[in-house]
Amino acid sequence: CWLVARTVVESSMKARFDVDPSGQIIVLKDCGVPWIDHLFELEKREGVEHSPRERIVFCLFPDTSNGEWRVRTVPPSRLQNFDQRVPLPQNWAGLRDEELSRVSGISDCVFVHGGKFIG
């Protein structure tokens, strides 16, 4: 499982500029893998762990329970798991469904947690 997760995250890191020109968003097509520790290790290996413009800030992945897409912010470190490098927008916090879609400009939204770390 560890090696599979590492491979999934590494592949996502390599494709990050195909997702967004900033390179700060990854897409994990195989969700359910423990990705955060691998991400930190890969950022360190690439020498970007201290570069705010090069680090990953968002991870997109499919939810296995319903097939919807989720977004998860990346914590600043392993020890700060409930903080975010970049939070989701404040005006999205706690919103659901049509209201969230209207405010965000993204169709078919479901919710964003009040803590702005997952949606």
Side-chain angles (χ1 to χ4, degrees):
C1 181
W2 184 91
L3 186 56
V4 171
R6 174 85 171 201
T7 303
V8 168
V9 176
E10 193 166 28
S11 175
S12 297
M13 288 279 294
K14 289 178 183 174
R16 69 188 185 265
F17 290 100
D18 296 333
V19 174
D20 184 79
S22 71
Q24 293 187 297
I25 301 171
I26 60 171
V27 174
L28 298 177
K29 294 181 180 165
D30 298 317
C31 70
V33 298
W35 59 274
I36 291 178
D37 284 341
H38 292 296
L39 177 66
F40 289 137
E41 290 175 19
L42 292 166
E43 285 180 330
K44 184 175 182 177
R45 185 181 77 187
E46 290 187 16
V48 301
E49 82 243 65
H50 299 296
S51 175
R53 292 187 176 174
E54 297 180 88
R55 295 182 305 178
I56 303 301
V57 295
F58 298 115
C59 176
L60 305 174
F61 57 93
D63 185 330
T64 57
S65 67
N66 60 18
E68 301 284 342
W69 281 88
R70 308 283 306 259
V71 59
R72 171 69 162 87
T73 61
V74 177
S77 72
R78 288 179 178 100
L79 300 176
Q80 296 171 299
N81 204 25
F82 290 103
D83 292 333
Q84 307 95 28
R85 291 177 174 174
V86 175
L88 294 170
Q90 176 64 41
N91 63 337
W92 297 6
L95 298 183
R96 300 190 66 84
D97 307 317
E98 292 86 20
E99 184 179 10
L100 177 57
S101 292
R102 181 182 55 75
V103 170
S104 69
I106 302 168
S107 62
D108 302 320
C109 289
V110 178
F111 90 105
V112 168
H113 190 277
K116 304 178 301 268
F117 69 96
I118 196 163

mmCIF file with all atom_site columns, all heavy atoms in Angstrom, residues 61-79:
data_model
loop_
_atom_site.group_PDB
_atom_site.id
_atom_site.type_symbol
_atom_site.label_atom_id
_atom_site.label_alt_id
_atom_site.label_comp_id
_atom_site.label_asym_id
_atom_site.label_entity_id
_atom_site.label_seq_id
_atom_site.pdbx_PDB_ins_code
_atom_site.Cartn_x
_atom_site.Cartn_y
_atom_site.Cartn_z
_atom_site.occupancy
_atom_site.B_iso_or_equiv
_atom_site.pdbx_formal_charge
_atom_site.auth_seq_id
_atom_site.auth_comp_id
_atom_site.auth_asym_id
_atom_site.auth_atom_id
_atom_site.pdbx_PDB_model_num
ATOM 1   N N   . PHE A 1 61 ? -9.502  15.111 -5.506  1.00 0.00 ? 61 PHE A N   1
ATOM 2   C CA  . PHE A 1 61 ? -9.612  13.651 -5.559  1.00 0.00 ? 61 PHE A CA  1
ATOM 3   C C   . PHE A 1 61 ? -11.082 13.245 -5.562  1.00 0.00 ? 61 PHE A C   1
ATOM 4   O O   . PHE A 1 61 ? -11.935 13.950 -5.037  1.00 0.00 ? 61 PHE A O   1
ATOM 5   C CB  . PHE A 1 61 ? -8.891  12.996 -4.372  1.00 0.00 ? 61 PHE A CB  1
ATOM 6   C CG  . PHE A 1 61 ? -9.380  13.463 -3.030  1.00 0.00 ? 61 PHE A CG  1
ATOM 7   C CD1 . PHE A 1 61 ? -10.369 12.768 -2.357  1.00 0.00 ? 61 PHE A CD1 1
ATOM 8   C CD2 . PHE A 1 61 ? -8.867  14.608 -2.446  1.00 0.00 ? 61 PHE A CD2 1
ATOM 9   C CE1 . PHE A 1 61 ? -10.834 13.195 -1.125  1.00 0.00 ? 61 PHE A CE1 1
ATOM 10  C CE2 . PHE A 1 61 ? -9.315  15.052 -1.205  1.00 0.00 ? 61 PHE A CE2 1
ATOM 11  C CZ  . PHE A 1 61 ? -10.305 14.346 -0.551  1.00 0.00 ? 61 PHE A CZ  1
ATOM 12  N N   . PRO A 1 62 ? -11.394 12.090 -6.166  1.00 0.00 ? 62 PRO A N   1
ATOM 13  C CA  . PRO A 1 62 ? -12.774 11.605 -6.144  1.00 0.00 ? 62 PRO A CA  1
ATOM 14  C C   . PRO A 1 62 ? -13.108 10.983 -4.787  1.00 0.00 ? 62 PRO A C   1
ATOM 15  O O   . PRO A 1 62 ? -12.281 10.312 -4.182  1.00 0.00 ? 62 PRO A O   1
ATOM 16  C CB  . PRO A 1 62 ? -12.808 10.561 -7.253  1.00 0.00 ? 62 PRO A CB  1
ATOM 17  C CG  . PRO A 1 62 ? -11.399 10.110 -7.399  1.00 0.00 ? 62 PRO A CG  1
ATOM 18  C CD  . PRO A 1 62 ? -10.523 11.256 -6.980  1.00 0.00 ? 62 PRO A CD  1
ATOM 19  N N   . ASP A 1 63 ? -14.314 11.237 -4.334  1.00 0.00 ? 63 ASP A N   1
ATOM 20  C CA  . ASP A 1 63 ? -14.809 10.651 -3.085  1.00 0.00 ? 63 ASP A CA  1
ATOM 21  C C   . ASP A 1 63 ? -15.324 9.253  -3.403  1.00 0.00 ? 63 ASP A C   1
ATOM 22  O O   . ASP A 1 63 ? -16.232 9.098  -4.218  1.00 0.00 ? 63 ASP A O   1
ATOM 23  C CB  . ASP A 1 63 ? -15.930 11.536 -2.531  1.00 0.00 ? 63 ASP A CB  1
ATOM 24  C CG  . ASP A 1 63 ? -16.426 11.094 -1.176  1.00 0.00 ? 63 ASP A CG  1
ATOM 25  O OD1 . ASP A 1 63 ? -16.387 9.883  -0.872  1.00 0.00 ? 63 ASP A OD1 1
ATOM 26  O OD2 . ASP A 1 63 ? -16.878 11.959 -0.422  1.00 0.00 ? 63 ASP A OD2 1
ATOM 27  N N   . THR A 1 64 ? -14.774 8.250  -2.756  1.00 0.00 ? 64 THR A N   1
ATOM 28  C CA  . THR A 1 64 ? -15.171 6.871  -3.046  1.00 0.00 ? 64 THR A CA  1
ATOM 29  C C   . THR A 1 64 ? -16.605 6.568  -2.649  1.00 0.00 ? 64 THR A C   1
ATOM 30  O O   . THR A 1 64 ? -17.217 5.659  -3.187  1.00 0.00 ? 64 THR A O   1
ATOM 31  C CB  . THR A 1 64 ? -14.236 5.859  -2.343  1.00 0.00 ? 64 THR A CB  1
ATOM 32  O OG1 . THR A 1 64 ? -14.237 6.122  -0.946  1.00 0.00 ? 64 THR A OG1 1
ATOM 33  C CG2 . THR A 1 64 ? -12.841 5.940  -2.894  1.00 0.00 ? 64 THR A CG2 1
ATOM 34  N N   . SER A 1 65 ? -17.171 7.340  -1.728  1.00 0.00 ? 65 SER A N   1
ATOM 35  C CA  . SER A 1 65 ? -18.522 7.037  -1.262  1.00 0.00 ? 65 SER A CA  1
ATOM 36  C C   . SER A 1 65 ? -19.611 7.500  -2.230  1.00 0.00 ? 65 SER A C   1
ATOM 37  O O   . SER A 1 65 ? -20.694 6.942  -2.250  1.00 0.00 ? 65 SER A O   1
ATOM 38  C CB  . SER A 1 65 ? -18.770 7.650  0.118   1.00 0.00 ? 65 SER A CB  1
ATOM 39  O OG  . SER A 1 65 ? -18.791 9.062  0.032   1.00 0.00 ? 65 SER A OG  1
ATOM 40  N N   . ASN A 1 66 ? -19.316 8.543  -3.027  1.00 0.00 ? 66 ASN A N   1
ATOM 41  C CA  . ASN A 1 66 ? -20.384 9.050  -3.897  1.00 0.00 ? 66 ASN A CA  1
ATOM 42  C C   . ASN A 1 66 ? -19.933 9.480  -5.293  1.00 0.00 ? 66 ASN A C   1
ATOM 43  O O   . ASN A 1 66 ? -20.736 9.944  -6.086  1.00 0.00 ? 66 ASN A O   1
ATOM 44  C CB  . ASN A 1 66 ? -21.099 10.227 -3.211  1.00 0.00 ? 66 ASN A CB  1
ATOM 45  C CG  . ASN A 1 66 ? -20.163 11.373 -2.913  1.00 0.00 ? 66 ASN A CG  1
ATOM 46  O OD1 . ASN A 1 66 ? -19.079 11.486 -3.459  1.00 0.00 ? 66 ASN A OD1 1
ATOM 47  N ND2 . ASN A 1 66 ? -20.593 12.242 -2.007  1.00 0.00 ? 66 ASN A ND2 1
ATOM 48  N N   . GLY A 1 67 ? -18.634 9.377  -5.584  1.00 0.00 ? 67 GLY A N   1
ATOM 49  C CA  . GLY A 1 67 ? -18.137 9.728  -6.908  1.00 0.00 ? 67 GLY A CA  1
ATOM 50  C C   . GLY A 1 67 ? -17.965 11.218 -7.150  1.00 0.00 ? 67 GLY A C   1
ATOM 51  O O   . GLY A 1 67 ? -17.507 11.630 -8.204  1.00 0.00 ? 67 GLY A O   1
ATOM 52  N N   . GLU A 1 68 ? -18.342 12.046 -6.168  1.00 0.00 ? 68 GLU A N   1
ATOM 53  C CA  . GLU A 1 68 ? -18.147 13.492 -6.298  1.00 0.00 ? 68 GLU A CA  1
ATOM 54  C C   . GLU A 1 68 ? -16.659 13.815 -6.135  1.00 0.00 ? 68 GLU A C   1
ATOM 55  O O   . GLU A 1 68 ? -15.917 13.080 -5.514  1.00 0.00 ? 68 GLU A O   1
ATOM 56  C CB  . GLU A 1 68 ? -18.934 14.232 -5.205  1.00 0.00 ? 68 GLU A CB  1
ATOM 57  C CG  . GLU A 1 68 ? -20.418 13.989 -5.216  1.00 0.00 ? 68 GLU A CG  1
ATOM 58  C CD  . GLU A 1 68 ? -21.144 14.739 -6.318  1.00 0.00 ? 68 GLU A CD  1
ATOM 59  O OE1 . GLU A 1 68 ? -20.573 15.703 -6.856  1.00 0.00 ? 68 GLU A OE1 1
ATOM 60  O OE2 . GLU A 1 68 ? -22.283 14.350 -6.634  1.00 0.00 ? 68 GLU A OE2 1
ATOM 61  N N   . TRP A 1 69 ? -16.249 14.947 -6.676  1.00 0.00 ? 69 TRP A N   1
ATOM 62  C CA  . TRP A 1 69 ? -14.868 15.390 -6.509  1.00 0.00 ? 69 TRP A CA  1
ATOM 63  C C   . TRP A 1 69 ? -14.747 16.220 -5.244  1.00 0.00 ? 69 TRP A C   1
ATOM 64  O O   . TRP A 1 69 ? -15.656 16.968 -4.898  1.00 0.00 ? 69 TRP A O   1
ATOM 65  C CB  . TRP A 1 69 ? -14.407 16.188 -7.727  1.00 0.00 ? 69 TRP A CB  1
ATOM 66  C CG  . TRP A 1 69 ? -14.041 15.290 -8.846  1.00 0.00 ? 69 TRP A CG  1
ATOM 67  C CD1 . TRP A 1 69 ? -14.888 14.801 -9.803  1.00 0.00 ? 69 TRP A CD1 1
ATOM 68  C CD2 . TRP A 1 69 ? -12.771 14.722 -9.097  1.00 0.00 ? 69 TRP A CD2 1
ATOM 69  N NE1 . TRP A 1 69 ? -14.200 13.969 -10.646 1.00 0.00 ? 69 TRP A NE1 1
ATOM 70  C CE2 . TRP A 1 69 ? -12.895 13.900 -10.235 1.00 0.00 ? 69 TRP A CE2 1
ATOM 71  C CE3 . TRP A 1 69 ? -11.522 14.820 -8.482  1.00 0.00 ? 69 TRP A CE3 1
ATOM 72  C CZ2 . TRP A 1 69 ? -11.824 13.188 -10.782 1.00 0.00 ? 69 TRP A CZ2 1
ATOM 73  C CZ3 . TRP A 1 69 ? -10.457 14.115 -9.017  1.00 0.00 ? 69 TRP A CZ3 1
ATOM 74  C CH2 . TRP A 1 69 ? -10.608 13.312 -10.150 1.00 0.00 ? 69 TRP A CH2 1
ATOM 75  N N   . ARG A 1 70 ? -13.630 16.064 -4.557  1.00 0.00 ? 70 ARG A N   1
ATOM 76  C CA  . ARG A 1 70 ? -13.351 16.787 -3.319  1.00 0.00 ? 70 ARG A CA  1
ATOM 77  C C   . ARG A 1 70 ? -12.102 17.635 -3.514  1.00 0.00 ? 70 ARG A C   1
ATOM 78  O O   . ARG A 1 70 ? -11.269 17.347 -4.369  1.00 0.00 ? 70 ARG A O   1
ATOM 79  C CB  . ARG A 1 70 ? -13.091 15.818 -2.164  1.00 0.00 ? 70 ARG A CB  1
ATOM 80  C CG  . ARG A 1 70 ? -14.129 14.741 -1.939  1.00 0.00 ? 70 ARG A CG  1
ATOM 81  C CD  . ARG A 1 70 ? -15.394 15.200 -1.265  1.00 0.00 ? 70 ARG A CD  1
ATOM 82  N NE  . ARG A 1 70 ? -15.216 15.883 -0.025  1.00 0.00 ? 70 ARG A NE  1
ATOM 83  C CZ  . ARG A 1 70 ? -15.382 15.343 1.171   1.00 0.00 ? 70 ARG A CZ  1
ATOM 84  N NH1 . ARG A 1 70 ? -15.699 14.082 1.300   1.00 0.00 ? 70 ARG A NH1 1
ATOM 85  N NH2 . ARG A 1 70 ? -15.227 16.078 2.248   1.00 0.00 ? 70 ARG A NH2 1
ATOM 86  N N   . VAL A 1 71 ? -11.965 18.644 -2.693  1.00 0.00 ? 71 VAL A N   1
ATOM 87  C CA  . VAL A 1 71 ? -10.740 19.437 -2.632  1.00 0.00 ? 71 VAL A CA  1
ATOM 88  C C   . VAL A 1 71 ? -10.273 19.434 -1.186  1.00 0.00 ? 71 VAL A C   1
ATOM 89  O O   . VAL A 1 71 ? -11.076 19.553 -0.265  1.00 0.00 ? 71 VAL A O   1
ATOM 90  C CB  . VAL A 1 71 ? -10.935 20.882 -3.156  1.00 0.00 ? 71 VAL A CB  1
ATOM 91  C CG1 . VAL A 1 71 ? -11.993 21.625 -2.367  1.00 0.00 ? 71 VAL A CG1 1
ATOM 92  C CG2 . VAL A 1 71 ? -9.611  21.640 -3.172  1.00 0.00 ? 71 VAL A CG2 1
ATOM 93  N N   . ARG A 1 72 ? -8.979  19.252 -1.004  1.00 0.00 ? 72 ARG A N   1
ATOM 94  C CA  . ARG A 1 72 ? -8.379  19.258 0.335   1.00 0.00 ? 72 ARG A CA  1
ATOM 95  C C   . ARG A 1 72 ? -7.194  20.205 0.300   1.00 0.00 ? 72 ARG A C   1
ATOM 96  O O   . ARG A 1 72 ? -6.378  20.138 -0.608  1.00 0.00 ? 72 ARG A O   1
ATOM 97  C CB  . ARG A 1 72 ? -7.932  17.844 0.715   1.00 0.00 ? 72 ARG A CB  1
ATOM 98  C CG  . ARG A 1 72 ? -7.087  17.713 1.986   1.00 0.00 ? 72 ARG A CG  1
ATOM 99  C CD  . ARG A 1 72 ? -7.882  17.996 3.236   1.00 0.00 ? 72 ARG A CD  1
ATOM 100 N NE  . ARG A 1 72 ? -7.258  17.480 4.432   1.00 0.00 ? 72 ARG A NE  1
ATOM 101 C CZ  . ARG A 1 72 ? -6.349  18.124 5.155   1.00 0.00 ? 72 ARG A CZ  1
ATOM 102 N NH1 . ARG A 1 72 ? -5.907  19.295 4.789   1.00 0.00 ? 72 ARG A NH1 1
ATOM 103 N NH2 . ARG A 1 72 ? -5.864  17.592 6.249   1.00 0.00 ? 72 ARG A NH2 1
ATOM 104 N N   . THR A 1 73 ? -7.126  21.086 1.257   1.00 0.00 ? 73 THR A N   1
ATOM 105 C CA  . THR A 1 73 ? -5.964  21.955 1.352   1.00 0.00 ? 73 THR A CA  1
ATOM 106 C C   . THR A 1 73 ? -4.797  21.160 1.923   1.00 0.00 ? 73 THR A C   1
ATOM 107 O O   . THR A 1 73 ? -4.988  20.135 2.575   1.00 0.00 ? 73 THR A O   1
ATOM 108 C CB  . THR A 1 73 ? -6.250  23.171 2.250   1.00 0.00 ? 73 THR A CB  1
ATOM 109 O OG1 . THR A 1 73 ? -6.558  22.716 3.560   1.00 0.00 ? 73 THR A OG1 1
ATOM 110 C CG2 . THR A 1 73 ? -7.405  23.995 1.694   1.00 0.00 ? 73 THR A CG2 1
ATOM 111 N N   . VAL A 1 74 ? -3.597  21.635 1.691   1.00 0.00 ? 74 VAL A N   1
ATOM 112 C CA  . VAL A 1 74 ? -2.404  20.972 2.207   1.00 0.00 ? 74 VAL A CA  1
ATOM 113 C C   . VAL A 1 74 ? -1.969  21.690 3.480   1.00 0.00 ? 74 VAL A C   1
ATOM 114 O O   . VAL A 1 74 ? -1.859  22.920 3.489   1.00 0.00 ? 74 VAL A O   1
ATOM 115 C CB  . VAL A 1 74 ? -1.266  20.997 1.156   1.00 0.00 ? 74 VAL A CB  1
ATOM 116 C CG1 . VAL A 1 74 ? 0.002   20.367 1.723   1.00 0.00 ? 74 VAL A CG1 1
ATOM 117 C CG2 . VAL A 1 74 ? -1.700  20.275 -0.115  1.00 0.00 ? 74 VAL A CG2 1
ATOM 118 N N   . PRO A 1 75 ? -1.736  20.941 4.549   1.00 0.00 ? 75 PRO A N   1
ATOM 119 C CA  . PRO A 1 75 ? -1.277  21.579 5.785   1.00 0.00 ? 75 PRO A CA  1
ATOM 120 C C   . PRO A 1 75 ? 0.162   22.084 5.628   1.00 0.00 ? 75 PRO A C   1
ATOM 121 O O   . PRO A 1 75 ? 0.910   21.586 4.786   1.00 0.00 ? 75 PRO A O   1
ATOM 122 C CB  . PRO A 1 75 ? -1.357  20.459 6.820   1.00 0.00 ? 75 PRO A CB  1
ATOM 123 C CG  . PRO A 1 75 ? -1.331  19.198 6.053   1.00 0.00 ? 75 PRO A CG  1
ATOM 124 C CD  . PRO A 1 75 ? -1.909  19.496 4.705   1.00 0.00 ? 75 PRO A CD  1
ATOM 125 N N   . PRO A 1 76 ? 0.565   23.055 6.441   1.00 0.00 ? 76 PRO A N   1
ATOM 126 C CA  . PRO A 1 76 ? 1.929   23.574 6.348   1.00 0.00 ? 76 PRO A CA  1
ATOM 127 C C   . PRO A 1 76 ? 2.989   22.536 6.696   1.00 0.00 ? 76 PRO A C   1
ATOM 128 O O   . PRO A 1 76 ? 4.101   22.583 6.184   1.00 0.00 ? 76 PRO A O   1
ATOM 129 C CB  . PRO A 1 76 ? 1.969   24.713 7.363   1.00 0.00 ? 76 PRO A CB  1
ATOM 130 C CG  . PRO A 1 76 ? 0.585   24.938 7.810   1.00 0.00 ? 76 PRO A CG  1
ATOM 131 C CD  . PRO A 1 76 ? -0.243  23.769 7.400   1.00 0.00 ? 76 PRO A CD  1
ATOM 132 N N   . SER A 1 77 ? 2.647   21.588 7.569   1.00 0.00 ? 77 SER A N   1
ATOM 133 C CA  . SER A 1 77 ? 3.590   20.541 7.965   1.00 0.00 ? 77 SER A CA  1
ATOM 134 C C   . SER A 1 77 ? 2.801   19.352 8.499   1.00 0.00 ? 77 SER A C   1
ATOM 135 O O   . SER A 1 77 ? 1.596   19.444 8.720   1.00 0.00 ? 77 SER A O   1
ATOM 136 C CB  . SER A 1 77 ? 4.552   21.055 9.040   1.00 0.00 ? 77 SER A CB  1
ATOM 137 O OG  . SER A 1 77 ? 3.866   21.202 10.271  1.00 0.00 ? 77 SER A OG  1
ATOM 138 N N   . ARG A 1 78 ? 3.513   18.270 8.748   1.00 0.00 ? 78 ARG A N   1
ATOM 139 C CA  . ARG A 1 78 ? 2.869   17.081 9.317   1.00 0.00 ? 78 ARG A CA  1
ATOM 140 C C   . ARG A 1 78 ? 2.265   17.377 10.689  1.00 0.00 ? 78 ARG A C   1
ATOM 141 O O   . ARG A 1 78 ? 1.265   16.796 11.065  1.00 0.00 ? 78 ARG A O   1
ATOM 142 C CB  . ARG A 1 78 ? 3.885   15.950 9.447   1.00 0.00 ? 78 ARG A CB  1
ATOM 143 C CG  . ARG A 1 78 ? 4.290   15.350 8.149   1.00 0.00 ? 78 ARG A CG  1
ATOM 144 C CD  . ARG A 1 78 ? 5.335   14.253 8.386   1.00 0.00 ? 78 ARG A CD  1
ATOM 145 N NE  . ARG A 1 78 ? 5.712   13.614 7.148   1.00 0.00 ? 78 ARG A NE  1
ATOM 146 C CZ  . ARG A 1 78 ? 6.805   13.886 6.466   1.00 0.00 ? 78 ARG A CZ  1
ATOM 147 N NH1 . ARG A 1 78 ? 7.655   14.795 6.918   1.00 0.00 ? 78 ARG A NH1 1
ATOM 148 N NH2 . ARG A 1 78 ? 7.074   13.256 5.353   1.00 0.00 ? 78 ARG A NH2 1
ATOM 149 N N   . LEU A 1 79 ? 2.890   18.259 11.427  1.00 0.00 ? 79 LEU A N   1
ATOM 150 C CA  . LEU A 1 79 ? 2.445   18.572 12.785  1.00 0.00 ? 79 LEU A CA  1
ATOM 151 C C   . LEU A 1 79 ? 1.303   19.578 12.830  1.00 0.00 ? 79 LEU A C   1
ATOM 152 O O   . LEU A 1 79 ? 0.667   19.747 13.860  1.00 0.00 ? 79 LEU A O   1
ATOM 153 C CB  . LEU A 1 79 ? 3.622   19.093 13.622  1.00 0.00 ? 79 LEU A CB  1
ATOM 154 C CG  . LEU A 1 79 ? 4.794   18.125 13.776  1.00 0.00 ? 79 LEU A CG  1
ATOM 155 C CD1 . LEU A 1 79 ? 5.933   18.788 14.524  1.00 0.00 ? 79 LEU A CD1 1
ATOM 156 C CD2 . LEU A 1 79 ? 4.356   16.839 14.461  1.00 0.00 ? 79 LEU A CD2 1
#
